[in-house]
Amino acid sequence: HSFCFSHCHDATGYGPIFEEEPVDVVYIEDSPDGRISMNCRARANPPATYRWRRDNWEIKLKEQPDEHYSLVGGNLVITNPIQKKHAGTYVCVARNIYGTVISKEARVKFGFLGEFPDEEREPVYVKEGQGAVLLCVPPKAWPQEVTYRWIYNEFPVFLNTDRRRFVSQKTGNLYIAKVEAQDAGNYSCFVSSPVLGKSVFSKFIPLIPLPPDDGEERKYPADIRVKFPDTTAMLASNITLECFALGNPIPHIVWRKVDATDLPANHEISESGAVLHLFNVQYEDVGFYDCEAINTKGKDCDSHYIFPAAPEWAETINNTMKDIGSEHTMRCVASGKPFPFIRWYKDGYMYTFGFLTFADSGMYQCIAENYWGIKYANAELRVIACAPTFEFNPVKKQLLGAKDGRVVIECKPRAAPRPRFTWTKGKELLYNSSRISIMFDGSLEILNATKNDEGVYTCFAENDRGKANSSGYLTITEATSITVAPEDTEVRVGDEVILKCQASYDPMLDITFIWAIDFRVIDFNAEWQQYERNEDGVGDLRILNAQIWHEGRYTCTAQTVVDSDTAYCDLKIVGVPGPPGVIRVEEIADTWVKLWWTKGAEHNSPILYYTIQTRHYWALYEDDWRNASTSPTVLDGSMEKAEVTDLYPWMEYQFRIIATNEHGSGEASIPSLKIKTWDAPPVVSPTNLAGYGGRNGEIIITWTPVEPWYFYGKKFGYIVAFKPHDAYDWWYETISDPETRRHVHRDTYFIPTEEDFQVREFQVKIKSFNVKGDGPYTLTKVIYYPRDVPTESPTDIYARPVSSTEALVWWLPVVDTGTGLQQYWRKYDDPEPGANRIFVSASVNQTRLENMLPDSHYLIEVRAYNGAGLGPPGEMCEMFTKRPRKTEMWRYISWTGKWLYVWWDHIQYDWFGNISFPLYYKVMFRKSGYIYGKVYITGWHFMDFPMPQVGDYELMVRGRYEGGDGPIRRIKILGHASTITPTLSLVSLVLLALCVVGLEI
């Protein structure tokens, strides 16, 4: 049925509009409630009635009551469903006097999960270091959305995935990038259906790793085995892409969108990089996606396209009221792959559109469908007829127009069919001319308006059902015109810029200035931290801190309620370059790699050159980037590839690139993936090679180990070679620990006899090695094996005190028959066992003694020593340390509120040198345990300096002596210094409150 309207007034009724439609249902047999409920609810006035169809056949719910089907409101309930009878496609039909609509299709399917076969699975043999794939071969299931895991040896021990192991949720297969000995065991594929709440698992598959042929794992380039096909995506849906590679070393997985610098913001990467999730897919996410697997032996790449699949509306239908007898086109345009088929329904049945009559009123549905899905669009068409009326949209009573501008007076009565229009000004009938015309929709257009055009204008509308008119008064105002337009401007990043804009306008009107950047209107309330505009009637725009994103075309519009004028300018921001694009490591060698990158934004200033920086595994901190050597040496701004040289072999590196133009260096690029250079023989040997002979035939050899970044390969160690001076053959010792610092060799061959000389000479050298080869030997070092302890003693021993607690000692060394010197010192009256001692190298002839007692008499002796023991003592040297200074007190302190004046007892010079004399004084403040402000230095015993204004402080004074800094004297200053006044009585009171610590300076 259809419902016709013979008038133009609003009707309160309307056709059905779905608020809830049925959805696909998976029924689980043996379900506790034993029924299926499919919902359907439509908003309509009068209320709709409901019917249901299954596989395009109507279900007779009223004529033939069914033991399975029942209708509750608009919902269809199926009790005790049977698969052969009730599985299928259902639609809901809603109807009232205005028309009929059908719902989206909903499928009813019965869920199941099959069992794995009972046959035993064959074992899988694979060499360590090679990749492996264990096939799941899952049983059939509905719904198809199942999850996969693998049992390891026994249930419920499940295998944990990581960078080396991956379980595909598309096929269920288990992928191992490189097999290790620990992978040996039995594996079972475990399949679960979250909807059914059921799980099954396969027979166990034995995995048997085999040792490599030569005992060393072979390296293999990355080989992608899990590839994602060209993928279809529905708008606003979520999709998952998988990519996993076999290889040794374990490959890194990198995802890229081909036509973009970054992946979409709605992405997430999981499973150690093997899975890319895209959430809420939009049209801009469509395109080619690359998966790249990289290791040190090579790389593999896989690229596929993501495209929209299910139909999506590009243009659809809306509720419409049309005049009787008029023409009307209802248009639906849909996209999808494959291209969707479109069909039309009217009141639930297929319909071909024709010339409009009252019978064409009703509910229309446009349906787009392809293999991947179906899309519905609903609209109501009402065919109307009535006499013209201005009741709902009269001509405005007060009309405004700008002088010399275009004025349009609208005339839009409600009428069907379309009326004929005539206009009058006062009593004058208006006709079309070069300046005045009546438009098709009935509006009156006046060009180049003048004051003479002011007056009363009346619109007359008439059709075959009646006529009506409406009037308004037109007033002509002065035109709005921009008098000062903004000019093209170029500024540097961080500068302030003002874009001017001023206009003339009719004084009876209010004016507003609207600014836009690249046709986006600036919201000054939301963007007040970036933009300011003048509030005194001038439209100037102030950009407070120009940044790159402020660049663009700025449009100033001076607008009144009558008219507007517009001017524009281009703002160019000049600054440092943007970060270069993604860095790719194309080739890797032992000391060099080849890098490729994409050019970043120039920001209106050409890039002069690039700087490549590296960070290796042993970097001291996260931001320890250092400029790299490159080939060519200078990377000009046109380059997008270069070779990084002088790298450490067998070292993990990351790279980043910085672009520089005449304004400076920009932000660094995102760091590259971590790579490892190839190994190579070492070239650096240990340093500081030395040694000496010990007791019982020992040869002790020492060195400084090589830093780890010079290892250059695995199995790094040292080879120590040594021999007596007159021998022909070298002895060799292999040291496998690279952190070892000394080697002790014991052999009866080296035990001296009575016939040997006092000292026997040995030659020693050392080199590094790793799995790739040996490095060079150091220069040969001569060491001595002593038959006995040193026989000579140092001579000309001299000691001089430098303070009350320190002294300097000199001597003439003995012939180098030992490895060092030992010094003893003790108070004159102390026993020798209680003496202090210090060891120094044989290459020096002086040292400093510390922590001595003031004003004390000391005896000092110096002896030579070697591996056999101590030699005889030299002559005793006597010395007196200096006397300590007496405790001194503060003499006077005063301040003015901002300056503090202080002096103290000066230490008089002791011409006999028995008392420590300061070279100068240090004055400083301390607050909360830390030095506050600068340290003041003076040679006088008084000083005035700026006083801190707030808080509690300590004033500290200490002397600087020949032996170093002396003890500190402190005085506390309490309260707020700024509140103290310089009166004598107040100074006296403050001095009583001071906490004075008197110490030796």
Side-chain angles (χ1 to χ4, degrees), residues 650-671:
W650 202 60
M651 177 64 67
E652 185 179 271
Y653 277 99
Q654 277 185 294
F655 306 92
R656 72 178 188 183
I657 301 176
I658 298 173
T660 302
N661 62 15
E662 63 177 326
H663 300 287
S665 297
E667 182 182 350
S669 67
I670 297 174

Side-chain angles (χ1 to χ4, degrees), residues 701-742:
I701 303 170
T702 62
W703 62 87
T704 300
V706 173
E707 300 289 355
W709 43 89
Y710 295 118
F711 287 179
Y712 289 8
K714 294 189 293 187
K715 300 181 180 178
F716 182 85
Y718 309 110
I719 296 176
V720 181
F722 54 95
K723 71 180 182 66
H725 177 70
D726 53 355
Y728 179 78
D729 295 327
W730 289 84
W731 289 60
Y732 300 94
E733 292 288 346
T734 300
I735 311 298
S736 59
D737 183 1
E739 296 184 2
T740 300
R741 294 175 173 272
R742 68 196 298 266

